[in-house]
């Protein structure tokens, strides 16, 4: 559940409980899933459902409804295949992985900030980058973390079962780009290893900021 969004919706998210407009004409599709183009559509349709008595008890923070899409309004209609190279698209939009020891940022030791390739959100500082020996750029902390709280960062952790065992995917909170994975075998002080694809990042030297 996205941060700031609290809901108790017994039986509400069954498709049949919503008007057809909410799941068809009020959305566009990205692959096999619907993506809502405006939070107002969801507010309007949810209110209609509530009036018909479909939900007995609902608690919502409506100012966070945009997080249901996981897309920022400025990136929701982007044609990623046109904006990105084939490799960038494969990694960031189709959750692929670049070959180990092939990334341009792997051996970069310059001071600066690593941003999301897709939306330019600041993600990792060079101050937390280290050589993990794995073949991918590694960081022990996300930029913006306070103590161990990553709420105000631009990265989001998500459970991933695609590798045959449960792992933790790291995505961009602003545009849903796949960045890599995080593991609990990193150095102090966090013990985390954010294993990130170079192709998912763009680097801005400190001197240019």
């Amino acid at each position: 559940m996205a941060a700031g969004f609290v809901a108790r919706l017994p039986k509400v998210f069954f498709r049949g409980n919503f008007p057809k407009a909410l799941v068809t004409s009020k959305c566009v599709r990205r692959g096999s899933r619907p993506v809502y183009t405006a939070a107002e559509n969801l507010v309007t349709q949810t209110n209609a459902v509530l009036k018909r008595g479909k939900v007995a008890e609902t608690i919502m923070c409506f100012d966070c409804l945009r997080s249901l899409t996981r897309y920022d309004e400025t990136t929701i209609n982007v044609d990623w295949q046109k904006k990105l190279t084939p490799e960038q698209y494969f990694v960031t939009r189709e959750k692929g992985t670049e070959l180990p020891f092939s990334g341009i940022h792997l051996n970069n030791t310059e001071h600066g900030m690593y941003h999301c390739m897709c939306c330019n959100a600041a993600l990792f500082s060079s101050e937390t980058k280290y050589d993990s020996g794995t073949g991918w750029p590694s960081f022990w902390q996300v930029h913006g973390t306070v103590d161990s709280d990553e709420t105000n960062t631009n990265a989001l952790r998500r459970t991933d079962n695609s590798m045959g065992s449960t792992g933790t995917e790291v995505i961009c909170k602003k545009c849903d780009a796949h960045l890599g994975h995080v593991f609990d075998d990193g150095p102090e002080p966090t013990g985390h290893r954010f294993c990130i694809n170079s192709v998912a990042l763009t680097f801005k030297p400190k001197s240019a900021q």
Side-chain angles (χ1 to χ4, degrees):
M1 190 64 68
F5 178 84
V6 181
R8 285 194 301 228
L9 304 174
K11 300 181 180 179
V12 67
F13 281 120
F14 288 105
R15 187 182 181 92
N17 284 347
F18 285 97
K20 290 183 178 180
L22 179 59
V23 293
T24 55
S25 61
K26 296 298 182 181
C27 66
V28 295
R29 286 193 171 275
R30 294 290 182 268
S32 60
R33 64 181 176 182
V35 177
Y36 301 105
T37 57
E40 291 83 356
N41 293 336
L42 184 55
V43 173
T44 302
Q45 300 298 336
T46 302
N47 286 339
V49 171
L50 293 174
K51 288 179 181 179
R52 291 201 300 274
K54 291 287 186 179
V55 184
E57 182 181 16
T58 305
I59 301 173
M60 284 187 174
C61 172
F62 284 110
D63 64 336
C64 296
L65 278 172
R66 185 187 304 170
S67 65
L68 285 177
T69 67
R70 299 198 311 277
Y71 288 92
D72 185 275
E73 286 181 353
T74 59
T75 62
I76 190 171
N77 293 317
V78 173
D79 188 336
W80 294 114
Q81 285 186 302
K82 288 184 177 180
K83 180 177 180 178
L84 305 173
T85 67
E87 185 181 18
Q88 289 168 349
Y89 183 84
F90 169 67
V91 171
T92 62
R93 313 320 302 185
E94 297 186 332
K95 304 184 185 301
T97 302
E98 68 189 6
L99 292 174
F101 301 100
S102 67
I104 61 172
H105 300 308
L106 176 61
N107 298 313
N108 182 27
T109 58
E110 193 173 358
H111 294 291
M113 187 68 64
Y114 293 86
H115 295 248
C116 176
M117 172 59 71
C118 296
C119 71
N120 202 39
L123 295 170
F124 299 97
S125 168
S126 61
E127 295 180 1
T128 64
K129 188 174 184 288
Y130 72 102
D131 183 5
S132 65
T134 60
W136 291 276
S138 299
F139 306 84
W140 50 262
Q141 188 177 66
V142 183
H143 175 65
T145 302
V146 179
D147 294 327
S148 59
D149 185 2
E150 298 175 357
T151 302
N152 294 319
T153 71
N154 290 321
L156 185 68
R157 300 179 186 224
R158 189 164 59 185
T159 301
D160 180 13
N161 297 311
S162 64
M163 298 185 292
S165 60
T166 301
T168 303
E169 179 190 11
V170 182
I171 65 173
C172 175
K173 193 182 294 182
K174 297 293 185 181
C175 70
D176 203 27
H178 171 75
L179 304 174
H181 290 82
V182 60
F183 304 91
D184 293 327
D185 57 6
E188 297 295 336
T190 65
H192 301 314
R193 172 170 59 93
F194 289 87
C195 190
I196 307 299
N197 292 283
S198 280
V199 75
L201 302 173
T202 182
F203 179 73
K204 296 185 179 181
K206 189 175 183 179
S207 58
Q209 295 179 17

